[in-house]
Amino acid sequence: MRGVVIGIVLAGTLGISVLLHSYVQDTGSRSQSSSGFISLSPGLTETLFALGAGDAVKGVTQFCLYPPEAQERVSVGGLLDPNYEALVALNPQLIFMTPYHRDLRREMRRLGLSYEIVPQDTLPEIRESFLHVGVLCGHEEEGRKLVAALDRHMSAVSELVRDREKMRVLLVTGRNEHSGSLQEVYAVSTGSFLSDLLEIAGAENCVSGAVAEYPALSVEGILHLDPEYIIELVEKDPQTALPKLMAPWHALSELRAVQNSRVKILGGSHFTIPGPRITQVLDAFVAALHPDLKECVL
């Protein structure tokens, strides 16, 4: 657990030149008359605002809802299908994209739009994105401060749970809530930022080595894993629909997590967004796994 935090910090310190090279080589041509930024990712939008560059953000996707000020910017369409006319009209200095936008590069170049591909899939990548985006938007010092605050937070949590026994946890990010049963259950596998946060919080992800980052699990697969704890992430406040959400889990009475009342439903759109609010996600994991530490982190 402490090794995860130390490894992340070292990766950021020793591997920054490699990561920066991967960013820079995907930059398109820049126009001297252009200004401001466009973000095609909620995580990068939140990063820009957290760095203090919000005033320079001219356009965002329809899914960039935080901070609230982001909703006042021009909407340039969806995550993977932006409105190119809107992009050109805004004439940005730079468009921030993720590796999932690689298929857009050819059209961006054709239109003469400058872009930067910034990965945020893993915890080290999120950490490095704060530094790199900070440099690109003229807020380098703020980027360093954001990373330092993240490092301190992770180290403090790691120390807080250091002597706790690790529990095998199934972390669920989605399922068919309308079926009344556990269908199309998507779990978090090792290698993602959510799995890293789970480990720092003092748990062991019971889904490891999967080909997909968010593999689909059958009921039989869940029974085979038999996790000690289940945490399900939903987008909205789960309290009003909690009995309905919990019922399918309670039906699996063979599971140790169910027998020991260790099934937790956590609500909030920020849980699956890589960016500055991952410290809140980490704290929520700690509070769910270690109720006696709730007041220490929330």
Side-chain angles (χ1 to χ4, degrees), residues 2 29 59 68 72 75 78 88 90 97 99 107 110 117 142 145 147 152 154 156 170-171 223 252 273 284 292:
R2 298 178 70 189
S29 59
E72 301 172 2
S75 174
V88 172
L90 289 174
M97 310 193 304
E107 188 65 12
R110 188 186 72 81
I117 291 182
E142 289 84 349
K145 289 180 179 179
V147 167
R152 287 194 302 270
M154 291 191 300
L170 172 63
L171 182 58
L223 291 172
L252 299 183
I273 296 178
D292 59 309

Side-chain angles (χ1 to χ4, degrees), residues 169 171-173 177 194 198 229-239 242 245-246 249 263-272 280-289 294 298:
V169 177
L171 182 58
V172 175
T173 58
E177 299 176 11
L194 285 172
L198 196 63
Y229 225 111
I230 296 171
I231 297 177
E232 181 176 3
L233 307 179
V234 297
E235 187 171 349
K236 298 180 180 179
D237 185 350
Q239 294 308 312
L242 194 58
L245 290 170
M246 293 291 286
W249 292 113
V263 179
K264 300 290 184 181
I265 311 290
L266 304 180
S269 59
H270 64 291
F271 278 103
T272 55
Q280 297 178 29
V281 178
L282 177 57
D283 290 350
F285 286 171
V286 172
L289 295 168
K294 183 176 182 178
L298 297 180

Side-chain angles (χ1 to χ4, degrees), residues 101-113:
H101 296 109
R102 288 191 184 277
D103 290 344
L104 306 181
R105 291 180 297 176
R106 183 175 181 178
E107 188 65 12
M108 293 289 186
R109 292 195 185 104
R110 188 186 72 81
L111 295 172
L113 295 169

Side-chain angles (χ1 to χ4, degrees), residues 61-139:
T61 76
Q62 64 192 67
F63 299 100
C64 297
L65 304 177
Y66 188 89
E69 293 81 2
Q71 300 179 48
E72 301 172 2
R73 304 303 188 263
V74 175
S75 174
V76 296
L79 291 174
L80 301 178
D81 55 343
N83 182 325
Y84 289 107
E85 290 184 3
L87 298 181
V88 172
L90 289 174
N91 191 26
Q93 173 187 344
L94 194 62
I95 299 175
F96 287 97
M97 310 193 304
T98 73
Y100 299 102
H101 296 109
R102 288 191 184 277
D103 290 344
L104 306 181
R105 291 180 297 176
R106 183 175 181 178
E107 188 65 12
M108 293 289 186
R109 292 195 185 104
R110 188 186 72 81
L111 295 172
L113 295 169
S114 298
Y115 62 86
E116 197 81 354
I117 291 182
V118 183
Q120 284 190 316
D121 290 331
T122 68
L123 210 45
E125 286 176 349
I126 292 172
R127 185 181 181 279
E128 298 304 334
S129 74
F130 296 166
L131 296 171
H132 187 59
V133 174
V135 171
L136 291 175
C137 68
H139 291 264

Side-chain angles (χ1 to χ4, degrees), residues 33 40 119 162 235 256 276:
S33 61
L40 298 185
R162 181 180 57 178
E235 187 171 349
R256 282 181 291 175

